Amino acid sequence: MRLSFVLLCLAPVALSAQRPARATFPAETASVHTVRTALASKRITCRSLVQQYLARIEALDKQGPAINSIVLVNPAALQVADSLDAHAAAGKPVGPLHCIPLIVKDNFETRGLQTTAGSLALEGWTPLQDATMVRQVKAAGAIVLAKSNLAEWAFTPYETVSSILPGYTRNPYALDRVTAGSSGGTAAAVAAGFGTLGLGTDTGNSIRGPSAHQALVGIRSTMGLTSRAGVVPLNATADVAGPMARSVADAVTVFDVIAHSDPADTVTAPADARRAVSYLDALRPGALRGARIGVLRQAYDRPTLDPEVKGVFERAVADLRRAGAIVLDTVAVDSLDAIQRLQQGGCNRFKADLERYLAARAPNAPVKTIDQILRSRRFHPTVEPRLRDAAQVTQAPEESSGCQSRERVRSALRVAVTQLMDSLQLDAMVYPTWSNPPRLIGDLNSPHGDNSQLFSPTTGFPAITVPMGYTRQNRLPAGVSFFGRAWSEARLISLAYDYEQQTRHWRVPTLR
């Protein structure tokens, strides 16, 4: 089913959305708290809130500034809203996300909605079930409002372009700039006020990078704390799914719902025993007082570091100190070079992981192999080299010496990072999420500045990005990452929240 056909099918919803019952509520800046308050006071209904978001998508995503972040809108969104209004009228709100409209990256299986991973090869595929994380947020009362664009198959961290949706997704803060990848559609949609919250995935960067480029908060959890079941895979040893939001509190409200064990994803077996009782308890001021934080220069200090990003980060470090943190100017994993030399040969898991995933969905999945995808020619030309490289892999990851050495790198870096933090009694380490501002769309020559690929994905330890300011005439967002030990989400959340409350860098983009 082509996008144009999907949009035609949704035209009645879009037209009704242009006439919201009440348009005084600022949906584009709404938080979970303000939505709850407005619903409780009967300032809005769930239907009127959804109508406002639908009207905003209609006016701004393919028209006007043409953010180009939405692949399709949920045609049942207003019906779900009516059901939630009925629950509320009966005094039975559904859960902590009652009537919170979410933007969901289009690599999450969503029952009744097309799921494509950005590729025409999966066009028209409607999964038979929800991804675990989608099921969790729905059970908590959230509405899947729309599916968002992504870098096709989640391949690139640098830009958001796919074959399922013509053109690039644009950065709402500067329409000529990229959103990063691969969850750039979710980030752009949340930043542009098309929904209250979003879900993305992160293999090396893809929650944190787009969040930093769009002045959002993004959480990549400890591997095993949240489920990936029902998410189209890129690399099963590094894929993590999680929230993207305009505030730490909103991101954590979702995170508290999704951080659980899941029998469908065996890596999450320890989650219930290791998670906090409530991550919302970490949202408290004053957490930075006395906290020990190290500046992890190995993550970002390179010759191409942009001077303005450097300056914004130095101000962020100064803000941490003013808030009472003890900041160590430079901390380092001394054995990092030796650990990285443990990697012997390549490890490309995409073919094995994707084909196992598709086989589990037979006969419902429209393709089953990388070779079928290549023969179909239904993909963006930029991803063909990656698909061809994957097709040439003949060994299962479990039998590959390159993949085995990759696991040795992971294990050694986990030990080294933990020992470093323990030896210095650190609560967290910080670095700029990207060393350079968002590139111009189409520019693949300027330094990209992605700092997210090494430490968190390799160790499987958590990282949270928070807005730290702006560059280029105060226009282009930049983010700071808080990185910590395994299962330390509660501590990282408390530090990130206190920093956010002390600095208040988020602001709404100006869209014309």
Side-chain angles (χ1 to χ4, degrees), residues 6-7 10 13-14 16-17 27-28 46-58 69-81 84 97 99-105 110-111 113-114 134 137-138 141-148 189-190 192-199 246:
V6 171
L7 294 177
L10 300 181
V13 172
S16 66
E28 69 275 14
C46 191
R47 167 174 272 266
S48 71
L49 177 65
V50 169
Q51 285 176 320
Q52 282 189 250
Y53 281 126
L54 292 173
R56 193 166 174 84
I57 292 169
E58 175 71 12
S69 62
I70 301 300
V71 175
L72 61 84
V73 170
N74 182 358
L78 289 173
Q79 181 182 345
V80 176
L84 291 168
L97 297 176
C99 189
I100 300 300
L102 261 67
I103 307 296
V104 175
K105 185 177 180 180
T110 313
R111 186 166 56 87
L113 294 178
Q114 174 180 271
V134 172
V137 296
K138 283 182 176 180
I143 301 171
V144 174
L145 185 66
K147 302 294 290 293
S148 56
V190 174
F194 297 163
T196 308
L197 301 166
L199 293 179
R246 293 187 287 266

Side-chain angles (χ1 to χ4, degrees), residues 439-476:
R439 284 168 163 170
L440 290 167
I441 288 174
D443 174 13
L444 296 179
N445 295 316
S446 298
H448 56 76
D450 176 10
N451 296 326
S452 299
Q453 301 288 333
L454 176 57
F455 285 98
S456 181
T458 304
T459 58
F461 293 176
I464 302 175
T465 185
V466 183
M468 69 173 181
Y470 302 81
T471 64
R472 303 301 189 267
Q473 293 80 50
N474 202 32
R475 294 184 308 118
L476 302 182

